[in-house]
Amino acid sequence: MERKEEVKIKLEKVRNFLRENDLYAVLIKKQPNFSWITAGGVNFVGMATEMGVTSVLITEKDQFVIANKIEARRMKDEEVEDMFEVLEYEWYEDKEMEIVRTIVGNGKVGCDVLLPDIQFVDDTFKKLRYELTEGEIERYLYLGEKLSRIVEEVLMYETKPGETEIEVAGKISAKLWKEGIEPTAFMIASDDRIRNYRHPISKNKKIEKVVMASVNARYKGLIATMTRMAHFGKIPETLKKQYKDNVEIECIMIAKTKIGEEMRVPVLSAIEEYEKRGYKDEWKLHHQGGSMGYYPRDIRVTPTTTEKIYRNQAFCWNPSITGTKSEDGFITTEKVPIMITKPVIFPTLKIEVEGITFIKPDMLEVL
C-alpha cells in the first residue's frame, strides 16, 4: 500500500470521528497517534516520552503539522512530505495554540491530551488505530521477522554463560538499530531473576544456566513484543514440560482471539488452562497481555474486559509460569491469525488448537 493511500484512509476515519463527535478539528500531540496518522512518521526527539515535539491539526477540509522552526524542515523533508501543510513558528515563542485558534476560530477542538478549553478525546480516538491497514500489516511483518531473527541469532550464536544480561541486551540493540528498528524495552534475565520477578529488566548479572530475552521494539511507530528462552546444558524434564504447557496456554489464547468476541474470552480460557495443568493462580502474578499496535499494549486485558476484538487488530498474549514465559504477537483475521513474530532459526514446537496449527519456538538447548 502506498503511504499516501494509507494516510488518505486514516484522514477519512478522523473526519468521520469529527462528524460523530460534533468537533470542528482534532489536535494530535502524542507520538503514537502522530505515527499512526502519518503512516510511519515520527514527531519525537527524545524517545523516553509519550509526547511529541510537533502536532497534527485536522479539520473537515485540511490537515496541518504545527512545528517550531527547529523541527519544521525535518517534518517537510522526512516525516510528512507533501501530505500535510507544515505551519511554522519561532522556537522561542509558544504559539501552537494561537495557530490552532487562528484556524478553528470558536470551533470545538478535541485533543489526545488534556489541555485548557479543549475536549479530551483520547479514550475514543485511540480506537481509530485498532484495525490495521494493509500498509501497517506490511510494516508489522517486516518488524516481526527482523526482531525474531535478531533475538534468536544473539541467543543461539552470541550468548554464553558468564556474559551479563546487559551485554546481551546491547548486542540485540545494536543489531536492531542497523535495521532501522528502535529498541524500546529489554528484559534479558537469567536464572533466579526469571523465577523471582515477572518484569526482570536487564541487570549487570552474569548468566549461568537459563536466559530469557523479552524484547520490545518499534518500527515506524508500531511496536512488537516477544520472548525467547535458552538453556545451557540439558534441559530438565520438569522445565521442559512446564515450558511446553506455557506455550500451549498461549496458543489456546491466540485461538480464542476471534473477531467480535470480548477480549476477556482468551484470558478466561487461559485461567482455566492454568488450573487444569496444575498452575492455579499463576495468572495472578502477571498480566496476560492484550491488544497492541502503537503502544506495547493498547489494552491490558483482565477477566472483566468487555472491549470487542476488531478485524486486523494486533494482539500479544504473554502467559507466564514462574520460571517460564511465552510471547509472540499476531494479527486477527477471519481465518487463521497472522503471526508477527515467530521462530526463524530456533527449534520449534508444533501445536494444534481448534483446527489451527501453530509453529512456536521451543526452549533452545545449548549443549
Side-chain angles (χ1 to χ4, degrees), residues 166-222:
I166 55 176
E167 284 178 314
V168 176
K171 291 176 186 179
I172 293 170
S173 180
K175 289 175 179 286
L176 289 172
W177 276 116
K178 284 183 181 179
E179 300 294 345
I181 296 169
E182 300 148 10
T184 55
F186 285 105
M187 284 176 280
I188 312 299
S190 60
D191 307 296
D192 59 317
R193 296 193 68 242
I194 304 171
R195 295 186 294 272
N196 291 340
Y197 314 117
R198 281 315 205 260
H199 280 163
I201 60 171
S202 308
K203 295 287 186 177
N204 191 28
K205 178 201 171 295
K206 289 184 179 180
I207 297 163
E208 298 170 28
K209 279 284 188 184
V210 189
V211 61
M212 178 184 78
S214 292
V215 181
N216 294 10
R218 181 169 59 191
Y219 177 68
K220 295 186 183 295
L222 290 165

Side-chain angles (χ1 to χ4, degrees), residues 7 45 48 56 76 81 91 106 111 119 124 148 150-151 158 180 184 255 273 280 303 319 325 338 342 354:
V7 169
V45 175
V56 168
K76 291 176 187 175
E81 301 168 4
W91 67 265
N106 294 323
C111 187
Q119 184 174 327
T124 49
S148 300
I150 286 168
V151 172
E158 301 181 34
T184 55
E273 286 297 322
K280 185 181 179 182
K325 183 181 181 186
I338 300 170
K342 56 188 174 183
E354 295 190 2

Side-chain angles (χ1 to χ4, degrees), residues 132-151:
L132 300 175
T133 64
E134 180 185 322
E136 287 170 315
I137 293 172
E138 290 169 3
R139 294 195 294 278
Y140 238 148
L141 295 183
Y142 170 87
L143 169 58
E145 195 279 334
K146 295 293 185 184
L147 177 60
S148 300
R149 184 178 295 278
I150 286 168
V151 172

Side-chain angles (χ1 to χ4, degrees), residues 228-239:
R228 296 291 183 268
M229 296 192 71
H231 189 280
F232 298 98
K234 189 166 179 60
I235 303 172
E237 288 303 315
T238 52
L239 180 59

